[in-house]
Amino acid sequence: MKAKNISHILIVLISALIFFGCTNSRNIKNDERVDAATLKSIIESQSFVFIARNVNPVSGGKRDLSSGYDVSVSKDTIISNLPFFGRGYIASISPADVDFDFTSTKFTYALKPANNGWSISIKPKDQTYLRELYFRIFDNASASLNVTSIDRSAISYDGYIAERKIIVVNKKK
């Protein structure tokens, strides 16, 4: 009788693990992901967007993110809209300064081929607290981003690479 109860409990536990493991995965629209040729082109032309799907703080577990968190990269501007979870070593004056929300126009961009993709190091020169944005981009457009800061604990993000949407506004004369 006990062996039968244990096997029923095991079946229920395994079923629950499979169910919750499948429902936790994020669905990424196929039209957001880029193909290999487009990926190579946008990486080399320095014109892409990193879409963050989850965050991995040094302390604490991995957290899923809602939509709207990204880093837009172009030849002349980096625009970051990323949340921060972790330890700050210097108190911020404003609560708005907690996240990695910034625009940088002075930075270095170093692209290197890596196994199954590329690595990109971006070092903003006009952000006093930020040391480096380090992207690891894979051939299937998935990517990770490690952010190192002077006044905060390190943090990483997982996501994917998409094309930048350039919006042109026609002005009527």
Side-chain angles (χ1 to χ4, degrees):
M1 184 79 171
K2 287 185 180 184
K4 192 174 184 180
N5 287 341
I6 291 174
S7 62
H8 285 240
I9 291 172
L10 284 175
I11 290 172
V12 169
L13 285 175
I14 291 171
S15 299
L17 287 173
I18 291 171
F19 175 75
F20 287 113
C22 292
T23 59
N24 195 23
S25 64
R26 296 229 180 217
N27 293 329
I28 296 172
K29 296 177 185 175
N30 288 332
D31 60 346
E32 289 179 330
R33 289 219 183 222
V34 294
D35 60 20
T38 304
L39 179 64
K40 183 177 181 184
S41 171
I42 64 176
I43 295 299
E44 290 176 349
S45 68
Q46 197 170 326
S47 179
F48 63 91
V49 176
F50 169 77
I51 310 292
R53 288 295 190 193
N54 51 54
V55 59
N56 306 299
V58 170
S59 58
K62 185 179 208 177
R63 299 179 188 189
D64 290 335
L65 296 173
S66 60
S67 62
Y69 294 110
D70 58 27
V71 177
S72 177
V73 177
S74 69
K75 286 187 183 267
D76 60 354
T77 307
I78 306 291
I79 301 171
S80 174
N81 176 30
L82 294 173
F84 177 74
F85 303 96
R87 185 174 188 169
Y89 303 117
I90 299 173
S92 297
I93 294 172
S94 167
D97 294 338
V98 174
D99 293 333
F100 290 118
D101 290 336
F102 66 88
T103 299
S104 175
T105 56
K106 295 178 183 176
F107 55 89
T108 61
Y109 181 92
L111 171 67
K112 293 180 184 176
N115 290 342
N116 302 324
W118 302 267
S119 63
I120 299 171
S121 172
I122 297 175
K123 295 181 180 179
K125 296 180 179 181
D126 54 359
Q127 302 297 315
T128 56
Y129 67 91
L130 196 59
R131 193 168 279 164
E132 180 182 28
L133 303 172
Y134 182 80
F135 294 91
R136 179 67 177 98
I137 302 170
F138 299 94
D139 290 335
N140 66 355
S142 64
S144 65
L145 168 61
N146 294 321
V147 179
T148 52
S149 174
I150 294 169
D151 61 353
R152 302 175 201 179
S153 59
I155 192 167
S156 67
Y157 303 86
D158 294 321
Y160 64 95
I161 300 298
E163 287 186 271
R164 281 183 61 239
K165 306 289 186 215
I166 300 172
I167 300 171
V168 177
V169 178
N170 291 330
K171 293 183 179 179
K172 293 184 180 181
K173 291 185 179 183

